């Protein structure tokens, strides 16, 4: 059920995008028990003029390699699961494609289960 949006600066190769998507998906499968094939992900690249961020907000030293990950999920997970997800994503992205933990920004949006339609004009989770 997660809908994943990944935003980053333009210029990275397709393999970089795939590595990010795979890492996020595997972390969700492990910590949020996301079913196999429940994978709906978008990557958008932005020119420097359309990608702005607080380079030192909260004392975190971010670089132009910043990746912003926004996950829309059903409101069913505990705080511990969310913390495990954040850690899992950062660890995997450190392995591949080699992102620094400071350059991983994650935003979780929680919605009611009836707010999903996966096709056919039906609310599959309602």
């Amino acid at each position: 059920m997660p809908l994943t949006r990944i935003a980053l600066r333009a210029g990275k190769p397709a393999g970089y995008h795939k590595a990010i998507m795979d890492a996020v998906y595997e972390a969700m499968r492990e910590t949020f028990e996301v079913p196999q094939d429940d994978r709906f992900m978008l990557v958008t690249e932005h020119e420097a003029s359309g990608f702005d961020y607080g380079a030192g907000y909260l004392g975190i030293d971010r670089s132009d390699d910043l990746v912003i990950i926004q996950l829309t999920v059903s409101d069913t997970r505990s705080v511990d699961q969310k913390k495990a997800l954040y850690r899992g994503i950062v660890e995997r992205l450190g392995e591949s494609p080699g992102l620094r933990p400071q350059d991983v920004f994650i935003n979780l949006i929680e919605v009611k289960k009836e707010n999903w339609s996966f096709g056919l004009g039906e609310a599959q989770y309602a």
Side-chain angles (χ1 to χ4, degrees):
M1 78 226 41
L3 172 59
T4 303
R5 297 178 182 274
I6 300 164
L8 61 147
R9 289 277 299 266
K12 301 293 186 188
Y16 190 88
H17 297 180
K18 182 170 179 359
I20 292 171
M21 289 187 288
D22 289 348
V24 172
Y25 178 67
E26 288 306 318
M28 288 189 300
R29 293 221 352 108
E30 180 179 298
T31 60
F32 273 22
E33 300 174 6
V34 170
Q36 179 69 33
D37 212 29
D38 187 355
R39 183 172 171 141
F40 301 91
M41 308 179 114
L42 305 166
V43 175
T44 57
E45 288 191 323
H46 304 268
E47 297 300 326
S49 63
F51 191 83
D52 193 19
Y53 59 92
Y57 183 66
L58 294 178
I60 300 169
D61 181 31
R62 295 173 190 84
S63 76
D64 285 344
D65 285 331
L66 178 67
V67 173
I68 298 174
I69 301 165
Q70 187 173 60
L71 304 168
T72 303
V73 301
S74 293
D75 185 11
T76 59
R77 276 47 176 242
S78 70
V79 171
D80 287 340
Q81 283 178 295
K82 294 171 192 176
K83 289 179 178 181
L85 174 69
Y86 304 150
R87 283 190 306 271
I89 290 172
V90 166
E91 289 169 5
R92 283 174 174 80
L93 290 177
E95 294 168 9
S96 179
L99 280 168
R100 302 176 325 130
Q102 299 92 325
D103 288 327
V104 180
F105 179 105
I106 304 167
N107 172 240
L108 194 62
I109 298 171
E110 296 177 302
V111 300
K112 294 178 182 178
K113 292 184 87 169
E114 64 267 19
N115 290 354
W116 297 98
S117 175
F118 293 91
L120 305 174
E122 298 176 8
Q124 283 84 358
Y125 291 158

